[in-house]
Amino acid sequence: MKIATWNVNSIRTRLMQVVDWLQANPVDVLCLQETKVVDADFPRSPLENLGYHLYVSGQKSYNGVAILSRTPVEDISIGFAPVLGADVVGDLDEQKRVITGIVGNVRIVNLYVPNGSAVGSDKYHYKLRWLKVLREYLKTLLEKQPHELCVCGDFNIAPDHRDIHDPKGRDEHIMASPAERQALQDVLTVGLADAFRKFTAEAGHFTWWDYRTRAFSRDRGWRIDHHYLTPNLYNQAISCTIDKAPRQLEQPSDHTPVIVEF
DNA sequence: ATGGCAGTTCCTAACTGA
């Protein structure tokens, strides 16, 4: 089983790149982030014609997540509220960042973690609050059901210095500040481990490159897209790879796909 | 130190992203 994650930065702009990529890489599940489209306008047919079932949660202009699966997905749920209750979640489900469902014996959680804008900003505090609720959400999911978890998506956090092209002076940089990294580590204490680091310990493997300053051609990137797995699934993982090919195309997303295989 | 690039909408300016 192969599960991929890809922040496409608008599914309508990137549709043909996603179609081409799925034809070349017929993964079992593809989790998309930043679809940037309301559900009624999601371009379903070209993806359904490839044999995928689609489950989407989007909004106008910003955010938006989707799960594409070769087999029907069971027990789809959208946002934090179905698991935690509306009173706990408050305003956090207004932005469409969470979709989950079960494929085989695996519960897949597809996330678009808030960017945070700048350290100390209102959006930064929103990001930290969101990550706290995410921890409770995953903990509750695990308590309610015995499934293995694959929690994947755009986390907008580089876990450590190996995950940034130039780690110098990054403590005050969004996606690398100590509070964000600690919030991510707190999430993982529910019992999750980074699939990529099972296979690759060295620095210099990235999933996102800034559109500006020719960052991709200079390989000035960050590893911010991840798969986090519960222990049994982690043990069953046989590879986790970054496919840089889509980032090299004309008019690419600034992120590129990551694939885990069991 | 600054801004740089891209997508979207309230569409030719402002916002969000990371």
Side-chain angles (χ1 to χ4, degrees):
Chain A
M1 182 180 189
K2 289 185 178 178
I3 301 173
T5 182
W6 189 5
N7 178 323
V8 288
N9 187 16
S10 170
I11 185 57
R12 286 178 291 185
T13 296
R14 228 65 65 197
L15 178 62
M16 290 319 296
Q17 291 188 19
V18 174
V19 167
D20 290 347
W21 189 82
L22 284 171
Q23 287 182 320
N25 303 272
V27 294
D28 299 280
V29 176
L30 175 59
C31 294
L32 301 176
Q33 304 87 35
E34 276 205 276
T35 51
K36 293 188 172 179
V37 65
V38 295
D39 296 352
D41 293 338
F42 196 102
R44 301 183 69 97
S45 301
L47 299 163
E48 288 171 340
N49 291 343
L50 295 176
Y52 286 91
H53 298 80
L54 268 60
Y55 308 86
V56 302
S57 174
Q59 65 185 85
K60 192 166 64 174
S61 303
Y62 304 117
N63 311 315
V65 285
I67 297 176
L68 283 59
S69 174
R70 291 207 160 272
T71 59
V73 179
E74 297 167 42
D75 200 30
I76 284 280
S77 108
I78 286 166
F80 291 135
V83 173
L84 291 177
D87 49 337
V88 174
V89 174
D91 61 340
L92 294 182
D93 275 351
E94 290 172 12
Q95 300 180 14
K96 304 308 180 191
R97 299 178 176 279
V98 179
I99 186 168
T100 182
I102 297 169
V103 177
N105 64 337
V106 179
R107 173 170 285 285
I108 295 162
V109 181
N110 176 16
L111 302 176
Y112 176 45
V113 176
N115 166 281
S117 187
V119 174
S121 67
D122 288 349
K123 289 190 175 72
Y124 181 74
H125 293 295
Y126 180 94
K127 181 180 194 175
L128 295 177
R129 186 160 64 92
W130 195 95
L131 287 164
K132 271 194 175 180
V133 172
L134 173 63
R135 185 184 187 282
E136 294 313 302
Y137 169 84
L138 296 173
K139 189 161 165 277
T140 305
L141 272 182
L142 283 166
E143 287 166 357
K144 280 186 174 172
Q145 289 181 323
H147 289 97
E148 296 296 323
L149 288 189
C150 173
V151 183
C152 63
D154 176 1
F155 283 74
N156 272 317
I157 298 172
D160 66 54
H161 67 278
R162 296 172 295 174
D163 303 312
I164 309 176
H165 62 87
D166 179 6
K168 287 197 298 292
R170 295 298 183 184
D171 272 12
E172 293 308 312
H173 194 293
I174 198 66
M175 304 189 293
S177 71
E180 293 169 75
R181 285 176 162 170
Q182 187 58 53
L184 174 58
Q185 292 310 314
D186 289 346
V187 168
L188 303 185
T189 60
V190 304
L192 294 164
D194 185 343
F196 185 78
R197 288 302 182 202
K198 175 176 179 179
F199 305 101
T200 306
E202 66 186 5
H205 296 272
F206 309 128
T207 66
W208 172 83
W209 298 260
D210 200 308
Y211 283 123
R212 298 165 293 188
T213 66
R214 307 186 317 282
F216 183 70
S217 62
R218 300 156 71 195
D219 201 24
R220 297 173 65 85
W222 296 57
R223 191 176 72 92
I224 57 176
D225 301 88
H226 311 297
H227 296 83
Y228 291 107
L229 310 176
T230 43
N232 290 333
L233 205 51
Y234 184 88
N235 290 336
Q236 292 165 31
I238 56 176
S239 72
C240 184
T241 56
I242 299 165
D243 181 4
K244 288 171 74 172
R247 189 62 179 80
Q248 297 172 295
L249 299 171
E250 290 293 315
Q251 201 180 14
S253 169
D254 43 355
H255 297 250
T256 212
V258 187
I259 310 98
V260 68
E261 180 172 13
F262 309 104

